[in-house]
Amino acid sequence: MDDDWRPTASLENIRLRAALLAKSRQFFAARNVLEVETPLLSAATVSDPHLQSFSTCYNGPNLPPDTTLFLQTSPEAAMKRLLAAGSGSIYQLCKAFRDGESGARHNPEFTMLEWYRVGFDHFALMDEVEALVQLLLGIDRQFERSSYRAIFERHLGLDPHHASLGVLWQCAEAAGISGGLTKGELERDGWLDLLMSQLIEPQLGACTPVFIYDYPASQAALATIRPGAVPLAERFELYVTGVELANGYHELCDAGELQRRYERDRLLRLANGGAAPACNRRLQAALGAGLPASSGVALGFDRLVMLAARADSIDEVVVFPVARA
Amino acid sequence: MATYSTNEFRGGLKLMIDGDPCSIIENEFVKPGKGQAFCRVKLRNLKSGKVYERTYKSGESVEAADVMDTEMQFLYSDGEQWHFMEPSSFEQFAVSEAAMADTAKWLKGQETCLVTLWNGVPLSVAAPNFVELTVTDTDPGVRGDTSGGGGKPATLETGAVVRVPLFVDIGELLKIDTRTGEYVSRVKS
């Protein structure tokens, strides 16, 4: 008898998730942040070179036959359209979808807590993320903060903004994590991702959660880039006991720059043999109309439940992971 | 050339790495939220037994190793090679001493073993989990001592030496766990 009809999460963890969802909503209600819902199915999708969307077809009134619609990899674009329309600070608890992602910390369908704070810079938003995570995980200690550069210097003794591709490759080679990859197989950012995820991340936030901020400009996604001798992305990530929990931006508001980044992503995707989605023209128009100065962050809610439950696998906190869905 | 995508990786899958057949022990999907996705795999080299790690870009393809586990009957040893037969085709395979490794000492004939073939050539042989062998030499048995404490060495009919309880005598049939090389029980004849 197959018992794959059963949930993989315990009833205890199902209840824990419900309690954490309720606490999160109370947190935002107390701070007058408005809960919103945006479409999970949309005509446009992200251009990020490393995110793959699911797509499906709509047949019915109001749209041409066989219109392609994408399941959202995050509610970012739709929530920014609301911000541009004057919503003020907003949050959303919703499902997000990413093709190809399944593992101990990934499920192709997952729950995201995403919020935007009008008038906040990324440091003010880090304060708020800290307050929420302290509340949900019952942590009293103050979180640590370190720049992307400082964390690479401390753990690997190299400057991530200036080290050549050869130096990054040698570092991975010396640590024995590059086997199977040739030097030319990854771009600089690919090697940085490998070093970060394999050598640094497992040690991050072991005792105290830590925010990493000021990312390389090439990893800005939709964060604003601060000009300087080394231009830096005003982006941050939160790590708790080696788990990447949240990713935030001081948001890019410049429609022209958005167009340039889309173009860069498009060329990268084509170079890697993939297809590039069309530009999200409604997001483009919203930024053209004026996105208020704001910061936003996306937090992987399943991972938060994992941390609260001290679970090693996402299957312990998701009732029916993709293999049983 | 058959290949596997990293999406097909799972424990036990056989791959060719640097010209040697390997078996996946562990497979981990790694992906920073906005970054490159990787597959980190731990592999065992099926020729040397060595364990190592490899990293692949997610979605990449790796050459498959033509490795098959087949149940075969052990026929006899000619002193240099061990001869096995595939029971459905009656095809016979000769296995070298190196590929037999420790397995040889548990076999006397007729046992069904798991033979791992790579490109049709035996790579390794696993003995049945349990075998029954007669004691050919050991110190005289101590009657009444069924405590199992202490123990003594006993030589079996295949030449293998195992630790047995003090009450065991020459000529007795014993059940042995080949995975641990330990005595399990006496077999009543």
Side-chain angles (χ1 to χ4, degrees):
Chain A
M1 265 290 274
D2 281 346
D3 66 351
D4 65 359
W5 62 270
R6 289 181 181 281
T8 52
S10 64
L11 190 54
E12 192 186 349
N13 285 350
I14 295 171
R15 291 196 180 109
L16 177 62
R17 175 185 289 265
L20 292 170
L21 284 168
K23 270 190 185 173
S24 304
R25 290 197 158 96
Q26 283 162 12
F27 177 88
F28 289 111
R31 289 169 182 242
N32 283 318
V33 180
L34 181 69
E35 179 166 14
V36 296
E37 285 189 350
T38 57
L40 298 183
L41 272 179
S42 169
T45 189
V46 288
S47 59
D48 288 57
H50 299 298
L51 292 185
Q52 307 302 329
S53 313
F54 289 96
S55 63
T56 185
C57 263
Y58 172 77
N59 281 292
N62 285 324
L63 285 174
D66 289 327
T67 296
T68 298
L69 294 175
F70 296 94
L71 282 167
Q72 298 300 283
T73 59
S74 87
E76 180 171 8
M79 290 181 80
K80 284 181 178 170
R81 285 164 60 188
L82 287 177
L83 289 171
S87 66
S89 296
I90 48 177
Y91 81 96
Q92 177 159 211
L93 271 159
C94 65
K95 284 295 183 74
F97 302 83
R98 295 179 182 183
D99 196 6
E101 300 189 7
S102 179
R105 291 179 190 172
H106 295 84
N107 193 50
E109 170 181 348
F110 60 100
T111 302
M112 197 169 243
L113 167 57
E114 182 149 331
W115 77 97
Y116 291 85
R117 285 300 228 146
V118 175
F120 279 33
D121 67 6
H122 55 308
F123 289 103
L125 186 57
M126 279 187 235
D127 291 339
E128 189 161 75
V129 173
E130 181 169 340
L132 175 70
V133 174
Q134 280 176 333
L135 172 79
L136 297 181
L137 294 182
I139 300 170
D140 298 326
R141 274 189 309 281
Q142 201 183 348
F143 293 6
E144 289 170 5
R145 293 180 188 196
S146 168
S147 71
Y148 189 82
R149 176 179 180 160
I151 209 75
F152 268 78
E153 281 174 344
R154 188 187 313 159
H155 289 270
L156 304 176
L158 62 82
D159 175 349
H161 304 305
H162 292 103
S164 66
L165 192 147
V167 167
L168 300 178
W169 169 74
Q170 269 171 8
C171 181
E173 190 80 349
I177 57 165
S178 62
L181 292 167
T182 56
K183 183 173 157 184
E185 205 172 329
L186 296 175
E187 309 266 334
R188 271 189 96 259
D189 281 323
W191 286 110
L192 288 172
D193 284 341
L194 182 67
L195 294 174
M196 184 71 173
S197 61
Q198 291 298 296
L199 298 179
I200 302 178
E201 189 176 303
Q203 305 178 52
L204 287 181
C207 309
T208 309
V210 58
F211 287 103
I212 308 297
Y213 60 91
D214 282 356
Y215 276 68
S218 53
Q219 297 179 23
L222 295 186
T224 181
I225 293 175
R226 190 169 73 246
V230 178
L232 295 169
E234 294 195 328
R235 170 182 165 196
F236 67 86
E237 296 229 21
L238 172 63
Y239 290 89
V240 183
T241 56
V243 176
E244 180 194 353
L245 185 61
N247 177 33
Y249 306 142
H250 191 191
E251 298 295 347
L252 171 71
C253 295
D254 179 344
E257 173 66 10
L258 177 70
Q259 182 62 38
R260 284 189 288 279
R261 293 202 194 163
Y262 164 75
E263 195 53 34
R264 180 176 169 269
D265 284 354
R266 194 179 71 87
L267 294 175
L268 260 173
R269 290 181 82 108
L270 294 178
N272 290 333
C279 180
N280 187 335
R281 66 174 180 81
R282 289 178 181 134
L283 175 63
Q284 192 73 40
L287 260 67
L291 185 71
S294 53
S295 286
V297 61
L299 182 150
F301 203 82
D302 308 284
R303 291 189 184 173
L304 185 98
V305 183
M306 279 175 72
L307 290 166
R310 297 182 189 283
D312 293 322
S313 166
I314 198 166
D315 292 4
E316 294 172 54
V317 300
V318 168
V319 288
F320 303 121
V322 67
R324 290 196 180 192
Chain B
M1 183 181 80
T3 60
Y4 291 115
S5 148
T6 60
N7 292 333
E8 297 172 87
F9 282 11
R10 60 178 191 280
L13 196 74
K14 311 291 196 298
L15 304 173
M16 286 299 290
I17 309 289
D18 301 335
D20 281 350
C22 294
S23 174
I24 293 182
I25 304 170
E26 260 176 49
N27 171 42
E28 188 191 359
F29 177 81
V30 179
K31 187 182 186 301
K34 292 280 179 185
Q36 172 73 49
F38 298 102
C39 247
R40 294 271 293 148
V41 288
K42 202 183 258 184
L43 302 134
R44 186 187 310 281
N45 184 316
L46 293 174
K47 282 171 80 179
S48 68
K50 241 179 84 179
V51 171
Y52 38 67
E53 295 191 348
R54 281 285 185 277
T55 304
Y56 297 98
K57 272 161 75 171
S58 193
E60 206 172 309
S61 287
V62 182
E63 187 184 347
D66 182 16
V67 171
M68 268 176 33
D69 290 333
T70 312
E71 287 200 332
M72 293 193 202
Q73 193 178 35
F74 173 51
L75 301 176
Y76 65 96
S77 161
D78 60 18
E80 282 179 5
Q81 293 195 305
W82 278 254
H83 298 269
F84 290 81
M85 183 181 71
E86 208 279 297
S88 58
S89 67
F90 304 111
E91 193 182 350
Q92 292 195 15
F93 292 85
V95 180
S96 68
E97 191 168 358
M100 285 302 291
D102 271 358
T103 303
K105 70 179 179 189
W106 305 118
L107 305 182
K108 57 178 183 181
Q110 308 296 313
E111 294 91 346
T112 298
C113 300
L114 203 61
V115 179
T116 303
L117 296 175
W118 172 43
N119 293 330
V121 178
L123 199 62
S124 64
V125 178
N129 290 346
F130 298 100
V131 290
E132 291 177 3
L133 296 168
T134 306
V135 179
T136 54
D137 188 34
T138 190
D139 291 339
V142 180
R143 279 187 194 285
D145 183 352
T146 53
S147 67
K152 59 179 181 177
T155 307
L156 308 175
E157 57 186 308
T158 56
V161 178
V162 294
R163 272 203 92 69
V164 298
L166 294 174
F167 56 78
V168 170
D169 254 326
I170 294 177
E172 283 189 291
L173 191 60
L174 305 183
K175 184 177 180 181
I176 310 292
D177 186 333
T178 62
R179 294 162 297 184
T180 57
E182 283 171 3
Y183 162 93
V184 180
S185 64
R186 284 192 285 197
V187 182
K188 291 196 182 96
S189 45

Short mmCIF file of all heavy atoms in Angstrom, two decimals, chain A residues 75 118 250:
data_model
loop_
_atom_site.label_atom_id
_atom_site.label_comp_id
_atom_site.label_asym_id
_atom_site.label_seq_id
_atom_site.Cartn_x
_atom_site.Cartn_y
_atom_site.Cartn_z
N PRO A 75 5.89 38.13 -5.64
CA PRO A 75 4.87 39.15 -5.94
C PRO A 75 5.47 40.54 -6.17
O PRO A 75 4.74 41.53 -6.19
CB PRO A 75 3.99 39.13 -4.69
CG PRO A 75 4.91 38.75 -3.59
CD PRO A 75 5.95 37.85 -4.20
N VAL A 118 7.43 52.28 2.60
CA VAL A 118 7.66 53.56 1.94
C VAL A 118 8.49 54.45 2.86
O VAL A 118 8.21 54.53 4.07
CB VAL A 118 6.31 54.23 1.60
CG1 VAL A 118 6.53 55.64 1.03
CG2 VAL A 118 5.54 53.37 0.61
N HIS A 250 16.97 48.19 -1.13
CA HIS A 250 16.57 49.59 -1.21
C HIS A 250 16.18 49.72 -2.68
O HIS A 250 17.02 49.56 -3.56
CB HIS A 250 17.76 50.50 -0.84
CG HIS A 250 17.37 51.91 -0.64
ND1 HIS A 250 18.29 52.92 -0.53
CD2 HIS A 250 16.15 52.50 -0.53
CE1 HIS A 250 17.66 54.07 -0.35
NE2 HIS A 250 16.37 53.84 -0.35
#
